Amino acid sequence: MTVIRTLYESFAASVAEFPDHMALEVGADRLTYQELHEAAERIAAGLITAADGVPRRVGLLAERGVLAYAGYLAVQLLGATVVPLNPAFPAARNAAIVTAGDLDLVLAEATGQETKALALPAPVVPLTRTPTTADGNGIPAPGPAGPESIAYVLFTSGSTGTPKGVPIRHSNVSAYLSHVIPRYELGPGSRVSQTFDLTFDLSVFDMFAAWGSGATLVVPTRRDLMAPVRWAAEAGLTHWFSVPSLVSFARRMRALKPGCLPALRWSLFCGEPLTLQQAEAWAAAAPKSTLENLYGPTELTISCAEFRLPRDVAEWPRPANGTVPIGALYPGLAHLVLDAEGRPADDGELVVRGPQRFPGYLDPRNNADRFLLHDGATGTSVPHSGDAPITDDHWYRTGDRVTRRDGHLTHLGRMDQQVKIRGYRIELGEIEALLREQSGVRDAIVIAVPDTLGDLSLEAICTGPDPQPEQILSDLRSRIPEYMIPRSVTVFDELPLNINGKIDRKTVAAMIAGRRG
């Protein structure tokens, strides 16, 4: 029987077994497992004092440094739920997440007047190396979190303009870690990259696949990420994990030379489609590395499908869309591919259930139409109305279109208007909702247009009496993260319609591409 551990129990087991092994490297900072454990205990004691008890949900607003990771572990030690916030996001975005998440307090890497400038609708506790406690009490005992407790909540783009909270249970992560840690041969001596911001769920793999096995988490500085291949080589990484767009960046910088990453044993990519060209370039650079393409929405806990590319490039599958397949679902997960009528098919929407499926959105209203019941054979689907409990029998609708060929799945794109830019999941409807709020705008759409290298960028198209593109972009920058900002705003007299009277996005995309060319 598989043992279900909370995130802190997973880390604590490595502290007990490997106390003097290196747990974390961030630039020049080095912390052993015991030292990181003690840092987390000190911060946890400060949280108890600030909250006058154990808080329920804690925001974490910090750059990826020693304090951020110790703070993350401190929240887990207390048995509370961590909600990562991003210092690079506009204040209004972080404030909206604090409100939607109903946070008790925010642990922030700032002091004095800086914390006041955050303008967050919750008490802010400064995150420091030596937090002080008012009562002088000792080290807190691990909190009462259990398998069904919520480990973390991440907020993704919402089609209504409001971010959606995705709560993930400890049991969800435990099921995930029990698969990936042995699969990727993680343990003492492994050196794992950490290229993701803490608001990106793939960062949870980096942290707890490493800390749950006695490996070392190696965190790049922002300067390192400007030369990621050189950093990976100099840091002696054994395990690489990133979005595929980092491969494109390295290729543009002419940094991905054959054989330049000889120490890598495993290379993992997730967050957006991995093209065959990207995979070939990386495989040549890391010839001793096993390369896998992973897939999974936040709601299915980090990743839920995998495809391992053969060492011989001549044996690689060549799907028509030029991307590496997503392969097969993890053991213990069940999936169906359903056509538009909800019948099993070889091409359609991927739906999944099992131990990695989240329990439902923080706001139950977001559950409507995202879950369904199905007999798994010939029956049609029964969409969830949003007002009934989510059970283990419910399938989660990923919104992703896949096809089944040669025994594995290939990702064909989104069923809706959601896209991924540099690995970030973006609901175009959220940006469109904000555009329509602008003065002088009547209607608006946002499309993702590929460039000559196949990378996507966003373009906004507006109609109305007097849209002001520069003013529109300026307003958006104060409300949403930079990765959601369109490259430009184009004004149309009218949006083209198809024969059904719907906005013809394909025609708009072709028109924008033509203007670029």
Side-chain angles (χ1 to χ4, degrees), residues 164 297-300 349-353 357-358 361 370-372 394-399 414 425:
K164 292 190 297 186
T298 302
E299 291 85 349
L300 294 174
E349 183 179 13
L350 177 66
V351 301
V352 180
R353 69 183 180 191
R357 195 216 69 197
F358 80 134
Y361 291 103
R370 299 314 307 157
F371 295 86
L372 55 83
H394 281 91
W395 303 82
Y396 174 68
R397 297 183 59 189
T398 66
R414 293 292 301 168
R425 191 171 71 171

Side-chain angles (χ1 to χ4, degrees), residues 167-468:
I168 300 295
R169 291 171 171 158
H170 286 281
S171 60
N172 298 144
V173 190
S174 185
Y176 170 79
L177 293 176
S178 69
H179 175 66
V180 298
I181 288 176
R183 181 174 180 84
Y184 302 125
E185 303 173 327
L186 285 151
S190 299
R191 295 176 59 77
V192 182
S193 69
Q194 218 283 271
T195 65
F196 305 105
D197 287 326
L198 297 181
T199 51
F200 203 157
D201 67 327
L202 301 182
S203 66
V204 178
F205 168 92
D206 299 336
M207 290 186 285
F208 291 96
W211 295 336
S213 65
T216 303
L217 182 68
V218 186
V219 184
T221 64
R222 295 202 176 274
R223 183 175 180 180
D224 290 331
L225 285 177
M226 298 305 295
V229 175
R230 183 176 64 190
W231 167 72
E234 292 177 349
L237 298 181
T238 60
H239 291 68
W240 173 268
F241 192 24
S242 78
V243 291
S245 58
L246 261 181
V247 182
S248 296
F249 175 76
R251 292 177 72 192
R252 283 197 293 269
M253 297 296 103
R254 299 184 179 180
L256 209 57
K257 302 183 186 304
C260 65
L261 293 169
L264 276 185
R265 302 200 307 263
W266 291 93
S267 297
L268 312 177
F269 295 95
C270 192
E272 59 192 348
L274 174 67
T275 68
L276 291 169
Q277 291 88 346
Q278 290 168 331
E280 287 177 7
W282 192 270
K288 296 180 182 179
S289 175
T290 299
L291 198 157
E292 283 202 353
N293 184 39
L294 308 182
Y295 158 83
T298 302
E299 291 85 349
L300 294 174
T301 311
I302 306 167
S303 61
C304 64
E306 61 206 1
F307 184 82
R308 183 172 297 179
L309 283 162
R311 288 296 181 97
D312 187 351
V313 175
E315 298 178 6
W316 288 10
R318 300 282 170 176
N321 65 356
T323 65
V324 177
I326 62 173
L329 274 288
Y330 290 178
L333 295 178
H335 78 281
L336 298 171
V337 179
L338 303 179
D339 65 15
E341 284 70 43
R343 299 169 301 196
D346 287 331
D347 188 323
E349 183 179 13
L350 177 66
V351 301
V352 180
R353 69 183 180 191
Q356 289 182 220
R357 195 216 69 197
F358 80 134
Y361 291 103
L362 205 59
D363 183 346
R365 291 174 295 182
N366 290 322
N367 291 331
D369 296 326
R370 299 314 307 157
F371 295 86
L372 55 83
L373 292 171
H374 198 286
D375 64 11
T378 58
T380 56
S381 59
V382 180
H384 185 261
S385 62
D387 54 3
I390 303 295
T391 70
D392 290 345
D393 292 330
H394 281 91
W395 303 82
Y396 174 68
R397 297 183 59 189
T398 66
D400 287 313
R401 183 179 162 219
V402 300
T403 186
R404 197 192 319 273
R405 293 173 188 164
D406 301 323
H408 51 252
L409 299 173
T410 297
H411 187 270
L412 299 179
R414 293 292 301 168
M415 302 290 290
D416 53 21
Q417 291 304 314
Q418 189 184 87
V419 298
K420 283 193 175 181
I421 304 290
R422 300 190 300 279
Y424 288 98
R425 191 171 71 171
I426 299 171
E427 195 84 45
L428 298 183
E430 178 179 1
I431 308 173
E432 291 169 353
L434 295 175
L435 287 169
R436 287 192 291 269
E437 294 177 5
Q438 303 296 312
S439 175
V441 174
R442 181 173 61 247
D443 204 352
I445 64 170
V446 177
I447 57 173
V449 181
D451 61 19
T452 55
L453 294 176
D455 293 330
L456 295 177
S457 62
L458 300 177
E459 296 281 353
I461 299 91
C462 296
T463 66
D466 188 28
Q468 299 293 320

Side-chain angles (χ1 to χ4, degrees), residues 152-167:
Y152 60 85
V153 178
L154 293 177
F155 281 80
T156 66
S157 183
S159 59
T160 63
T162 302
K164 292 190 297 186
V166 181

